[in-house]
Amino acid sequence: MEKKNIDWANLGFGYMKTDKRYVSDFKDGKWDEGRLTEDDQIVMSECAGVLQYAQTVFEGLKAYTTEDGHIVVFRPDLNAERLEQSAARLEMPVFPKERFLDAIEKVVAANEAYVPPYGSGATLYLRPFMFGINPVIGVKPADEYQFRVFGTPVGPYFKGGAKPLTIKVSDFDRAAPCGTGNIKAGLNYAMSLHAIVTAHKEGYDENMYLDPKTRTKVEETGGANFLFVTKDNKVVTPKSDSILPSITRRSLVYVAKEYLGLEAEEREITLEEVKDMAECGLCGTAAVISPVGKIVDHGKEICLPSGMEKMGPTTQKLYDTLTGIQMGRIKAPEGWIRVIK
């Protein structure tokens, strides 16, 4: 299929309407068969559950063109499982894993012309989401839901690509100690909007959120997990019940151990020990890994030895290896790559 006439190399991380999206409705206790549609508009009651009580969950994943010309998706089974966990936490019906995977395949295939070519630096970002759609005025779960998937071609999440970021230790909490920080609910991101706007106004790229109970341990940013490299070249990631279990972070830890032969562990990381780290990165679907060069804790600067010019050497190896797996340049572990075409 002929690709759309898009300036792939200069795409930002924004929404562009594509040709088809997938829709399935839950009513009378069951999901319908689902369908592809050209209609990107959603019509609902002014009293819909999602509008009144923020009953919505979502996922994010990408489709790529590999070096040998295939169109693939990276570990979509884990996105399906995480959406199930998120839905259960917000008392929403589970959208079955196999149907989730089928919906992803249908949307990618229907929008093949929008999948960026290999080597362009761009990808087709996929957004599955689910929300309560029937009128709900009392505080309770909705009875009817809609599951949708759309795709949009995107470039890098952070402007400037791999240039190291400057982040601040936030005075705000991203999640409650026993709240919803470990699921991908829209309300978590709403909580972070004021904090990120404030950070940008102050000249920072992102926030570092601390644990909401003691405010002494590193958690995550508004949209990505942290990954650190110690001075003895060990990869460490924060462990907490109130951060999102990032698929990219889990994949990077595996890559560190199995491909690069590094020690890697998930453990609690205190803010105090960050000054002793050699490298820091933010990892997630959108950015893969974005290096952090400086962390500012209420005027006190923590400058990472990796500096403000480029990724640290270990972070670069992790990035190169994972993107190599995604793009087909490096053999993937069993089950990581789902070929669409």
Side-chain angles (χ1 to χ4, degrees):
M1 178 180 288
E2 185 177 349
K3 297 295 184 184
K4 296 291 183 179
N5 185 21
I6 294 171
D7 185 4
W8 305 107
N10 292 306
L11 275 176
F13 196 87
Y15 173 76
M16 178 188 298
K17 181 183 174 182
T18 51
D19 294 339
K20 301 276 189 176
R21 64 274 311 130
Y22 180 92
V23 183
S24 182
D25 294 301
F26 181 90
K27 190 174 183 179
D28 298 326
K30 61 183 179 180
W31 291 102
D32 67 11
E33 293 182 356
R35 61 204 179 275
L36 285 173
T37 177
E38 295 181 1
D39 188 2
D40 64 327
Q41 301 298 301
I42 300 171
V43 178
M44 68 179 79
S45 166
E46 63 186 354
C47 197
V50 63
L51 301 179
Q52 301 306 316
Y53 303 119
Q55 202 182 12
T56 179
V57 295
F58 70 98
E59 278 298 322
L61 62 161
K62 290 178 175 179
Y64 312 81
T65 301
T66 60
E67 189 173 35
D68 60 3
H70 288 295
I71 295 175
V72 305
V73 181
F74 182 70
R75 308 191 78 178
D77 55 315
L78 297 188
N79 293 97
E81 291 168 8
R82 193 168 62 181
L83 188 76
E84 290 180 352
Q85 294 159 6
S86 297
R89 178 64 175 81
L90 290 194
E91 290 296 329
M92 304 169 76
V94 167
F95 194 75
K97 179 178 177 179
E98 288 307 313
R99 290 201 54 192
F100 178 100
L101 296 173
D102 179 64
I104 293 297
E105 290 197 5
K106 282 182 166 63
V107 170
V108 174
N111 295 294
E112 181 185 342
Y114 291 92
V115 180
Y118 173 78
S120 65
T123 55
L124 183 72
Y125 184 79
L126 300 164
R127 172 54 59 86
F129 61 112
M130 187 197 306
F131 54 94
I133 198 168
N134 69 291
V136 180
I137 196 65
V139 181
K140 62 179 182 178
D143 298 313
E144 299 174 9
Y145 296 84
Q146 190 167 97
F147 170 83
R148 300 177 71 98
V149 183
F150 67 80
T152 182
V154 298
Y157 186 74
F158 290 104
K159 294 177 181 178
K163 182 181 178 183
L165 308 172
T166 299
I167 65 177
K168 65 171 288 190
V169 176
S170 182
D171 290 321
F172 298 99
D173 289 330
R174 176 190 158 271
C178 297
T180 57
N182 63 335
I183 66 167
K184 207 165 176 65
L187 57 92
N188 295 341
Y189 295 80
M191 295 248 319
S192 73
L193 294 178
H194 178 64
I196 191 59
V197 169
T198 301
H200 287 167
K201 285 179 179 177
E202 294 174 354
Y204 300 101
D205 297 295
E206 252 293 1
N207 287 289
M208 172 185 279
Y209 293 104
L210 303 178
D211 73 290
K213 190 171 184 178
T214 72
R215 297 192 58 79
T216 61
K217 291 170 278 194
V218 176
E219 293 248 305
E220 63 173 285
T221 70
N225 279 190
F226 279 101
L227 180 147
F228 294 95
V229 180
T230 65
K231 289 179 179 175
D232 59 355
N233 213 32
K234 180 186 291 184
V235 174
V236 291
T237 59
K239 183 177 183 179
S240 168
D241 291 333
S242 56
I243 64 175
L244 189 72
S246 164
I247 293 165
T248 303
R249 187 254 301 156
R250 283 181 272 172
S251 302
L252 287 166
V253 168
Y254 182 92
V255 164
K257 292 178 179 178
E258 304 299 330
Y259 282 71
L260 301 180
L262 301 173
E263 284 190 68
E265 66 175 337
E266 181 186 9
R267 63 169 174 82
E268 292 185 345
I269 300 172
T270 64
L271 177 61
E272 176 62 26
E273 66 181 299
V274 169
K275 68 180 186 303
D276 297 319
M277 297 294 183
E279 302 174 34
C280 175
L282 307 183
C283 53
T285 298
V288 185
I289 310 179
S290 292
V292 175
K294 184 190 297 183
I295 300 166
V296 181
D297 178 15
H298 298 84
K300 178 184 176 182
E301 293 189 353
I302 302 171
C303 298
L304 280 301
S306 51
M308 293 297 296
E309 296 301 318
K310 59 183 180 179
M311 281 189 183
T314 300
T315 304
Q316 187 70 61
K317 288 177 186 176
L318 287 166
Y319 176 86
D320 291 344
T321 306
L322 186 61
T323 55
I325 290 169
Q326 292 172 332
M327 295 297 176
R329 297 188 297 269
I330 298 173
K331 183 174 174 57
E334 182 73 24
W336 277 28
I337 302 297
R338 191 175 185 95
V339 178
I340 307 298
K341 184 178 179 182

